[in-house]
Amino acid sequence: MERKKVVVIGAGVVGASIVRVLSQYNELDVYLLEKNVDAGMGVSKANTAIIHPGHEDDPKKCPLRAKLCVRGNRLWHQWVKELGIPAKFPGELMIAIEEDDLKVAEHYLELAQKNGVPGVRLVDNEELRKLEPNVNPNVAGALWAPTAGVMDSPMAAPALVENAVANGVRFFPETEVQGIKIENGEVKGVKTNKGFIEADIIINAAGLYSDKISKMAGIDYFTVHPRKGEYYVFDDDATPKVTRILHQTPTPVTKGVYVITEMHDGLMIGPTAEDLPEDAKEDTSTTKEGLDFVWEWAQKLVKELPPKNKVIRTFAGLRPEPPDGRWIIEAYDDPWGFINAAGIRSPGFTSAPAIAYYIVEELIQKKLDIKLTKKSHWNPYRRAYWFKDLPPEKQNELIKQDPAYGNVVCMCREITEGEIVNVITRMKSMGVKIITLDGIKMRTGAMAGTCQGSYCRIRIARIIARETGIPLWEVSFRGKGTEYGIGDVKVLLRGNGGDKNAE
Amino acid sequence: MQNDYDVVVIGGGPAGLAAAIRARELGLRVLLLENRETLGGIPLQCIHPGFGLHYFKEDLTGTEFIYRFIYKFLDMEIEHYTGAHVVSIEPFSDLEKRLRVVTSKGVLDITTTTVIYTTGARERHLFEIGITGHRPAGVYTAGEAQTMMDIDGIMPGKEIVIVGSGDVGLIMARRFALEGAHVKAVIEIMSYPGGLTRNVVQCLQDFGIPLYLSHAVTRIEGTTKVEKVILTKVDENLRPVPGTEKEIECDTVVIAAGLVPYLKVLERAGVIIDPATKGPVVNEHLETSIPGIFVAGNALVINDLVDYVVEQGELAAESAYLYIQNKGIPTKKWRKLVKGRNIRLIVPHYLSGDNDVIIYARVQKPEENVKLHFPEINKEIKLPFVKPAEMIRIKLRKEDITKAKDKITMEVVLNE
C-alpha cells in the first residue's frame, strides 16, 4: 500500500478537525503546520462559541454551509465528549422583536425543514417567556431551535490537535509556509521558514491567510477579508443571565447580536460585523462604537443586562470572509493534490468537523480517488478533567499523588498548580515548543476570570519558567515579541538602555 | 460536638495576621488559612517606607512592618496553612460554619464558630475602566508590576505610562524611574490627584514625571506589544472631549485604577454587600449580615494605611471573642450610620451605643475649610480639608451614639 503525505496548513479549528479525521486512516502521514506557537491562536480563539443548529443558511445560496453546519452540530455533540471540551446544548431562540419579524422567523423555519434541522418550531410570547424567563417580555415571539449548543471554543483546536498527535499526526508550530512546490501539475511540498516539507496532498486551512496560501498554489481567484466581531463578557456572578442562546431575527442592519451564558458561567454579548480592509488581518482591536452597538442590540433581547461594572473583558475576533460568503472547499485537477478549505466564515466553527469529513470522503477519497482504510486502533478520546469539578475523594487521591493539585493558583477559576503542570506536559508532548500564558489560558480558563490574571498571571508565569527552564521574563503571552518582561530588574540601570526621568 | 475551631481567619496579610494574633491572645482556638505560599500578603512587596507610623510610631517599609507580625505569629505557634484555598463557607447555623479548603495536604472540611474574612482586595483592570483597542503584551496592573519587580526581580518594560494617580500608581511611577525606566506619564481621569500630596511630590515631581489630570486613556495600540496609548481630555462629567486626542508612545501600560474588595467566597455564602464600599455591610463589631462572620482590612473597605487594616483585624478578633463568650452578638438596638452631603462611603454601617466606634469614611470630592457634621447627635468636627484620597478616621463616643434614635447622618458641610 502506497503511503501518502498530507500537509495541512493552519492549526485553527478547521485544520485541527481535518487532521483529527485524517488520523483515522492507515495510509496517511499527516503533518500539521502552524505559523503561531500553538494551535488555535488565530480566528478560532475569539468567537461566539456557539454550535449552530444549521437553519440560517439557504441551500440554494450556500449549499455547503447549509449541509455541513447541520452535520457539524451533530458531530460536535459527540466530539466534545470524546475530547473533554466543556459544552452544553441549551437550545437557541431567534427572537422576533416586532410582529413583522415573525415573518422572518417563518423563513428560517422553512430553511430548517429544507436543511433537516430537527425540532425547530415557532413559539409565541407566552411559551417564549417560559423557555427563557429573562427574555424581553415585550417581544413578539421566537423561533426555537433545541439543537443549538455552546462550547469552550478556545479549547477546541488545542484539544483536537493533542488528540490527533496521539493518533500519529505530527504538529509543527512556528512553521510558516512561504511557497508551494508544484511539478507537472502536481503538488510536491511546501517551503517553510523551517525548511522544505514534501507532500502528496496539501490542504489549505489557513483562515484569514487562506487566500495567500491558495495564491502560492496558483489559485488566485478569491480574496479573504477580515470581518470583525466585538464582544463583552461579564463576571460569573453577574446577573441576570440567560439559560438559552438568544439572538434576533436578522435584519439588513445586523445579522444578529447574541446573548449567551458561556461555559465559565459569564454572560457574553456580541458580535458586531464590521468589514475591514483585506490587509487588516491582525486588527482585533475593540472600538467604542462597536461595543456600544453590541450593548444597544443586546438590550433589546433581555429584560435587562447586568451592570456595566460587572464586565470583565471586552474582545474582538475576526472571521475570514470569502467573496459572497461562499466557502471555498475544493480539490483541483491543477495542481493535483491541492485542496482549499478557505474563507471558512460563520458557521465555520460549528461545521469544522463536517468540513473535515467532507474533505476526506468527497475530495480525497472520491475526487482524488485515493483509497483509504480505517485504523483498527484509532483513539477518539482525550482524557481531561477539572480539579474543581471532581468529588472530594478524587481530589484527595490526586493531591496524594501530587501535592501540586492542592495548590489553587488561579483563584477566580479555581485552577490548581497540578493542572497547569499537567497542561504544560500535554503541550510539550503534542509538539508545542514555546509554552505560553495564552496556551495555558486557552486550555484551562485560568487568568480569564474576575481579576483577568492580575493575581495569578505571575504565579502561572513562574510555573512555566520552572517547568521549561527559562528565566521568568522570557515567559511570553504568545511567543516572540510578547515576553512578560525585558530582563532582570536592574537591566536598564546596568545597560545603556533606558532613559532616566531624573536626568 | 465541639467545632474544630473557635475562629478561622481566612487570609494571612496584615488584617489576618493581626486578627489571628489577637484572637490567640484572647485564648481562642485559631486556624489561619493563606492562599499564597507565604504569609504576609501585599506588604511583602511594598519596599517603600510609610508603614507603621500610627501602629508602631516608626516609619517602616511594608516588608519590615509585616515581618514584625509574621514573626510574632510564628512565635505564638498559631496553627495555619499556606497554599490553602477556601472553596466554600457554608453558614450551617449561627454557631457552626462549615469550610471546605483545598490544601497540599488534602481537601479539608473544617467547622468553626466564627470566621474572620481578611482576603484583601483585587485590582481593577483594563477592561473595567473602559479602555478599548488592542490587547497586546505589556499591560499590567500596578500590583502585578510590583510583584514582578520586588518579589521576582524582573523588569516589565522600559517606557511606561501609568493609568491612575492613586498612591499605588504614584509609588509605582517612582519605582520604575528608580530602575531606569522612562515614565512618560501618569494619567488621572479626575481633576485632582488620587493619592496623597506627599506622594505626588516625592514620586512624581522629584522625578520630573508629568501628571495629566482630567485625562483618560481611551485606547491601547499595538498588535503584538504595546506601542502607544491614546488619551483624551475629559469634561466635568468625565466624558471624553472630542478633538483632544493625544498619543503617547510606550511599551508598557500600568493600570493603577483602584482596588475592589475580593469577596467571591463570601458573596457565595450570601453576605449583603454595600454598593459604595463593595465590601460587606457590617455592624460596629465588623460582623457581616451572616452572624459570626467578621471582616477586616481591604476586604471590608479599601484603606489608605496598613495601620487601619491592623486595627480592624484586631477589632474583628475581639468581636469573635465576644461572639464566642455570648454565643452570638447580644441583641441590641442598632442605629444606622447614613451617608450625608459629600460622603461617598462609610463603615461600619450599624452602631449600638454600647461602645466607642471608629468610623472610616471617604468623601466624594475635595473641599477645604469644612466640618464633619452629625445632625442627629449635634456633633461637629472641624477639618482643614477633605479629599477622596484620604480616608477619614474618627472615633464616635458611645455617649454621642446613644443620643440618636435610629440613625446617625454624617455629612461634610462648609465652614461659614
Side-chain angles (χ1 to χ4, degrees):
Chain A
M1 190 73 235
E2 196 198 347
R3 300 192 66 77
K4 295 279 182 203
K5 283 189 175 170
V6 187
V7 164
V8 178
I9 302 167
V13 74
V14 174
S17 294
I18 291 169
V19 296
R20 173 176 168 83
V21 175
L22 293 175
S23 75
Q24 301 174 22
Y25 296 93
N26 285 309
E27 295 79 7
L28 305 177
D29 295 322
V30 184
Y31 300 81
L32 176 61
L33 315 188
E34 169 56 50
K35 75 176 163 66
N36 291 317
V37 295
D38 202 343
M41 286 196 144
V43 168
S44 304
K45 193 170 73 166
N47 49 65
T48 320
I50 291 172
I51 307 172
H52 292 281
H55 61 308
E56 287 190 52
D57 283 315
D58 189 333
K60 276 190 224 136
K61 283 187 204 149
C62 298
L64 276 180
R65 272 164 53 181
K67 182 165 92 176
L68 298 180
C69 185
V70 183
R71 188 175 177 202
N73 175 294
R74 303 289 82 184
L75 282 166
W76 273 125
H77 189 270
Q78 181 188 334
W79 284 19
V80 291
K81 289 180 284 179
E82 291 174 345
L83 295 167
I85 303 170
K88 59 182 177 183
F89 288 84
E92 175 183 289
L93 289 160
M94 182 193 278
I95 309 281
I97 294 175
E98 310 289 343
E99 286 295 323
D100 282 354
D101 298 334
L102 284 169
K103 287 189 204 110
V104 183
E106 267 178 52
H107 167 67
Y108 288 99
L109 180 70
E110 281 166 30
L111 289 183
Q113 284 173 298
K114 281 187 195 160
N115 293 350
V117 183
V120 179
R121 64 191 172 85
L122 288 163
V123 293
D124 63 12
N125 174 288
E126 190 188 343
E127 188 178 358
L128 171 58
R129 282 183 288 128
K130 291 203 173 98
L131 277 167
E132 179 51 66
N134 279 323
V135 73
N136 176 352
N138 303 319
V139 301
L143 188 67
W144 166 233
T147 57
V150 174
M151 66 190 284
D152 192 335
S153 60
M155 201 184 292
L160 286 161
V161 175
E162 185 187 325
N163 174 257
V165 169
N167 281 305
V169 170
R170 296 181 64 191
F171 177 50
F172 295 89
E174 302 158 67
T175 304
E176 188 166 357
V177 173
Q178 293 163 337
I180 291 174
K181 188 179 171 190
I182 296 165
E183 272 177 21
N184 307 322
E186 292 180 10
V187 299
K188 291 294 169 199
V190 292
K191 288 167 224 150
T192 78
N193 59 331
K194 298 271 171 91
F196 183 75
I197 301 170
E198 283 181 26
D200 301 304
I201 297 171
I202 296 169
I203 303 174
N204 169 22
L208 286 164
Y209 296 90
S210 53
D211 52 351
K212 303 263 180 299
I213 298 289
S214 186
K215 203 174 270 177
M216 291 176 193
I219 297 163
D220 58 358
Y221 67 89
F222 66 92
T223 55
V224 171
H225 74 259
R227 181 173 285 176
K228 193 195 279 185
E230 303 188 33
Y231 299 84
Y232 284 97
V233 185
F234 293 88
D235 204 353
D236 54 12
D237 64 0
T239 53
K241 294 182 196 188
V242 293
T243 313
R244 316 292 176 186
I245 299 162
L246 306 187
H247 67 136
Q248 72 263 39
T249 49
T251 72
V253 186
T254 171
K255 265 291 273 173
V257 166
Y258 283 83
V259 179
I260 71 164
T261 301
E262 45 86 57
M263 290 313 298
H264 295 280
D265 263 354
L267 195 78
M268 183 165 101
I269 60 175
T272 51
E274 306 148 50
D275 285 315
L276 302 184
E278 199 193 315
D279 60 355
K281 290 181 176 181
E282 301 295 327
D283 179 9
T284 55
S285 68
T286 58
T287 63
K288 188 175 180 305
E289 298 71 30
L291 292 169
D292 286 349
F293 176 90
V294 166
W295 194 274
E296 182 197 332
W297 282 85
Q299 262 180 335
K300 298 177 199 239
L301 297 176
V302 288
K303 278 183 188 157
E304 61 173 334
L305 290 172
K308 225 171 208 170
N309 65 17
K310 281 286 184 183
V311 169
I312 58 166
R313 191 170 182 85
T314 53
F315 72 93
L318 298 173
R319 293 98 98 182
E321 191 66 28
D324 302 324
R326 288 203 186 94
W327 291 342
I328 296 140
I329 308 178
E330 279 176 71
Y332 302 90
D333 295 325
D334 185 14
W336 192 94
F338 186 77
I339 297 174
N340 262 327
I344 308 297
R345 52 150 280 165
S346 177
F349 206 104
T350 306
S351 310
I355 291 170
Y357 277 106
Y358 178 82
I359 286 174
V360 174
E361 291 164 0
E362 299 297 322
L363 302 184
I364 295 180
Q365 296 191 88
K366 286 195 188 145
K367 178 124 197 250
L368 301 185
D369 196 25
I370 293 171
K371 300 276 175 292
L372 298 176
T373 57
K374 287 222 167 165
K375 290 176 184 170
S376 54
H377 55 275
W378 184 71
N379 177 14
Y381 299 105
R382 166 184 172 268
R383 221 176 128 251
Y385 51 82
W386 275 263
F387 181 86
K388 68 176 167 192
D389 297 333
L390 297 174
E393 314 82 69
K394 288 267 181 226
Q395 292 182 331
N396 272 324
E397 248 171 61
L398 271 176
I399 294 170
K400 205 168 259 176
Q401 285 165 21
D402 181 359
Y405 280 95
N407 182 20
V408 174
V409 173
C410 165
M411 286 214 286
C412 302
R413 294 269 167 95
E414 291 182 338
I415 308 294
T416 67
E417 182 186 350
E419 288 165 286
I420 308 264
V421 173
N422 178 270
V423 158
I424 293 173
T425 311
R426 285 159 176 260
M427 288 168 82
K428 285 180 180 169
S429 66
M430 83 177 227
V432 175
K433 303 285 186 297
I434 301 179
I435 307 297
T436 59
L437 289 161
D438 277 8
I440 305 259
K441 191 204 268 190
M442 290 193 292
R443 288 169 175 85
T444 62
M447 301 173 274
T450 313
C451 85
Q452 289 289 307
S454 59
Y455 177 72
C456 65
R457 189 156 64 183
I458 187 150
R459 307 175 91 194
I460 292 168
R462 286 176 196 146
I463 297 170
I464 295 174
R466 184 190 73 203
E467 295 294 315
T468 59
I470 57 171
L472 182 59
W473 63 81
E474 280 181 19
V475 173
S476 69
F477 289 86
R478 350 171 222 282
K480 211 169 164 39
T482 65
E483 286 80 7
Y484 194 49
I486 56 169
D488 71 84
V489 74
K490 298 295 175 195
V491 67
L492 295 176
L493 292 176
R494 205 175 39 239
N496 50 7
D499 312 318
K500 293 194 190 75
N501 286 88
E503 285 170 3
Chain B
M1 209 173 78
Q2 194 179 232
N3 290 332
D4 300 330
Y5 297 94
D6 295 324
V7 54
V8 173
V9 178
I10 303 174
L17 290 171
I21 289 167
R22 187 79 190 105
R24 167 55 70 82
E25 284 169 352
L26 292 165
L28 301 181
R29 296 173 305 135
V30 186
L31 172 70
L32 181 138
L33 303 169
E34 164 58 40
N35 177 260
R36 286 186 170 85
E37 293 78 359
T38 48
L39 294 170
I42 295 301
L44 282 177
Q45 67 191 47
C46 299
I47 63 170
H48 53 281
F51 293 74
L53 289 164
H54 298 253
Y55 193 84
F56 290 118
K57 315 284 180 232
E58 282 181 68
D59 191 359
L60 305 171
T61 64
T63 322
E64 289 169 324
F65 178 91
I66 201 63
Y67 263 95
R68 294 198 179 181
F69 284 88
I70 295 173
Y71 287 140
K72 188 166 182 190
F73 177 89
L74 293 174
D75 280 348
M76 291 171 84
E77 297 183 343
I78 298 171
E79 203 180 332
H80 66 281
Y81 287 93
T82 53
H85 175 75
V86 177
V87 177
S88 59
I89 302 172
E90 184 202 338
F92 172 71
S93 74
D94 57 328
L95 293 180
E96 185 176 329
K97 317 285 174 285
R98 297 170 178 177
L99 274 58
R100 174 155 292 173
V101 188
V102 176
T103 76
S104 56
K105 298 204 168 62
V107 181
L108 313 177
D109 286 308
I110 294 168
T111 58
T112 177
T113 315
T114 64
V115 169
I116 300 177
Y117 201 83
T118 58
T119 53
R122 69 171 182 86
E123 299 183 271
R124 292 177 73 214
H125 53 71
L126 172 71
F127 302 107
E128 292 175 286
I129 55 175
I131 298 181
T132 61
H134 293 91
R135 296 166 301 290
V139 184
Y140 309 88
T141 57
E144 183 183 17
Q146 193 178 45
T147 311
M148 290 170 77
M149 293 171 78
D150 294 329
I151 299 286
D152 294 274
I154 68 168
M155 194 66 183
K158 193 169 164 181
E159 302 206 311
I160 321 292
V161 167
I162 294 182
V163 182
S165 69
D167 288 318
V168 180
L170 299 175
I171 281 161
M172 285 314 292
R174 176 177 63 186
R175 188 71 195 95
F176 272 106
L178 285 170
E179 296 298 353
H182 183 184
V183 184
K184 299 186 100 170
V186 174
I187 295 158
E188 171 59 54
I189 192 166
M190 306 303 285
S191 56
Y192 46 86
L196 304 171
T197 309
R198 119 184 147 199
N199 281 333
V200 176
V201 175
Q202 293 172 7
C203 299
L204 301 189
Q205 289 170 13
D206 288 0
F207 290 84
I209 297 169
L211 171 63
Y212 291 78
L213 297 173
S214 296
H215 276 75
V217 171
T218 53
R219 206 172 152 81
I220 292 174
E221 297 281 356
T223 49
T224 314
K225 177 90 184 160
V226 173
E227 289 164 15
K228 60 189 173 197
V229 297
I230 315 290
L231 59 155
T232 63
K233 271 192 188 153
V234 297
D235 62 20
E236 55 273 26
N237 299 316
L238 308 182
R239 278 192 300 254
V241 180
T244 60
E245 289 80 6
K246 182 179 157 64
E247 291 181 9
I248 300 179
E249 284 182 17
C250 58
D251 61 19
T252 304
V253 177
V254 175
I255 309 287
L259 304 173
V260 190
Y262 189 80
L263 302 172
K264 266 189 156 355
V265 177
L266 205 51
E267 285 183 68
R268 284 203 295 265
V271 296
I272 296 171
I273 304 293
D274 172 357
T277 60
K278 300 196 165 58
V281 172
V282 293
N283 61 27
E284 68 194 22
H285 304 290
L286 305 185
E287 185 187 31
T288 66
S289 58
I290 300 178
I293 299 184
F294 303 86
V295 62
N298 280 359
L300 167 66
V301 63
I302 304 306
N303 289 272
D304 300 348
L305 297 177
V306 72
D307 307 70
Y308 300 169
V309 164
V310 164
E311 170 178 271
Q312 292 155 11
E314 291 177 345
L315 172 59
E318 283 154 20
S319 304
Y321 178 75
L322 177 77
Y323 193 98
I324 284 156
Q325 293 302 302
N326 296 283
K327 303 234 182 313
I329 297 292
T331 296
K332 300 172 187 187
K333 178 176 160 41
W334 295 103
R335 290 151 177 94
K336 189 171 187 183
L337 195 53
V338 178
K339 290 176 286 180
R341 185 188 170 280
N342 196 15
I343 297 291
R344 184 159 70 85
L345 56 86
I346 193 163
V347 284
H349 302 77
Y350 293 98
L351 314 177
S352 70
D354 291 354
N355 303 286
D356 297 347
V357 180
I358 294 169
I359 310 289
Y360 307 92
R362 275 186 205 279
V363 296
Q364 283 163 334
K365 57 179 184 200
E367 285 181 324
E368 284 180 14
N369 192 20
V370 294
K371 56 193 176 195
L372 292 178
H373 182 227
F374 301 85
E376 287 88 355
I377 58 174
N378 274 326
K379 191 177 164 70
E380 280 183 7
I381 301 166
K382 283 195 178 171
L383 295 172
F385 62 85
V386 288
K387 288 180 175 182
E390 297 188 22
M391 188 178 233
I392 298 167
R393 175 188 175 280
I394 51 145
K395 189 182 269 189
L396 277 189
R397 307 230 160 259
K398 55 184 173 185
E399 308 83 69
D400 285 334
I401 297 167
T402 46
K403 284 185 204 157
K405 270 178 82 177
D406 45 16
K407 67 164 186 174
I408 300 175
T409 308
M410 174 170 163
E411 59 188 15
V412 179
V413 293
L414 299 171
N415 254 331
E416 299 301 317

